Amino acid sequence: MNPNYIKEEIRSQVKISHLVTTLTGAKLDRNKMLCPLHSEKTPSFFVNDEKGLFYCQGCGAGGDIFKFVQLYNQVPFNEAVSFIDSEFNLGLTNTRVKYGQYLQAKNRANKRLDEEKQIVKSNARYDKIAQEYRFCVIALRPGILEPFSDLWAYYINRKTYLDYLIEEGGY
């Protein structure tokens, strides 16, 4: 497997803040904490999840997740990659996958993610429509609704309400 692929996949799956808190056991306060690489009294160790980097203003150490593991555990780069892979159960260094298979799996995952996003959007739209319908049913009592039945039918068709919601309101 391509080593660059493994590094990028690990970077995409592991947040630097999660790695630092897991290894050190300390908590980040607004993305800063006491530096675990040297002793200090005031926090000067900063973490940026968006960029995937850390930096200590006290000792000048900085880098990505691999560099942090190298400095914290005092191991070479290859052991740092294996450590992160095993610590977070990613299974990237033990399995051998062809790049074509990786691309197919990534496309399937992206397609699944898009489908899930679409489902969430449709559910949110359905919830909004159902809420509007229930509000109208409560606000418009029988007897008031009959003169505007054509307008009501147009509104229902326009909003694509489900039949059982219409039956639930008694119309």
Side-chain angles (χ1 to χ4, degrees):
M1 184 176 294
N2 186 352
N4 290 332
Y5 158 71
I6 292 173
K7 290 190 303 187
E8 291 305 317
E9 193 64 28
I10 289 174
R11 277 191 190 111
S12 69
Q13 293 185 27
V14 179
K15 288 185 177 181
I16 185 87
S17 61
H18 186 65
L19 175 77
V20 169
T21 55
T22 301
L23 288 182
T24 62
K27 292 184 180 179
L28 286 168
D29 183 27
R30 297 182 189 161
N31 293 329
K32 69 179 183 176
M33 62 185 268
L34 293 174
C35 182
L37 305 175
H38 74 280
S39 59
E40 62 183 0
K41 294 182 181 179
T42 58
S44 66
F45 185 83
F46 294 91
V47 174
N48 187 339
D49 277 332
E50 293 173 3
K51 295 180 182 178
L53 300 173
F54 74 93
Y55 182 73
C56 177
Q57 293 177 338
C59 63
D64 61 355
I65 57 175
F66 304 112
K67 186 67 173 179
F68 179 77
V69 173
Q70 284 179 288
L71 294 173
Y72 189 74
N73 291 344
Q74 298 177 351
V75 295
F77 179 77
N78 290 338
E79 289 182 31
V81 172
S82 298
F83 176 80
I84 295 170
D85 183 48
S86 63
E87 183 73 22
F88 291 96
N89 298 320
L90 302 176
L92 294 171
T93 57
N94 297 335
T95 59
R96 299 284 184 217
V97 179
K98 293 181 180 177
Y99 189 70
Q101 292 173 335
Y102 158 72
L103 288 178
Q104 289 175 350
K106 191 169 184 174
N107 288 340
R108 282 193 301 267
N110 287 341
K111 194 178 279 187
R112 227 177 301 130
L113 185 64
D114 290 342
E115 290 171 357
E116 289 173 3
K117 285 180 183 177
Q118 194 65 24
I119 289 170
V120 168
K121 281 183 181 179
S122 65
N123 286 345
R125 182 171 179 253
Y126 166 77
D127 290 343
K128 184 179 178 199
I129 291 170
Q131 184 180 13
E132 288 176 6
Y133 174 75
R134 288 191 179 111
F135 177 75
C136 289
V137 167
I138 291 169
L140 299 173
R141 303 278 181 232
I144 299 173
L145 187 62
E146 280 82 21
F148 305 104
S149 59
D150 293 338
L151 181 62
W152 183 250
Y154 172 77
Y155 181 71
I156 290 173
N157 288 334
R158 182 90 170 123
K159 289 292 194 176
T160 62
Y161 289 110
L162 300 175
D163 289 335
Y164 73 89
L165 282 178
I166 297 170
E167 292 173 5
E168 181 181 309
Y171 297 103

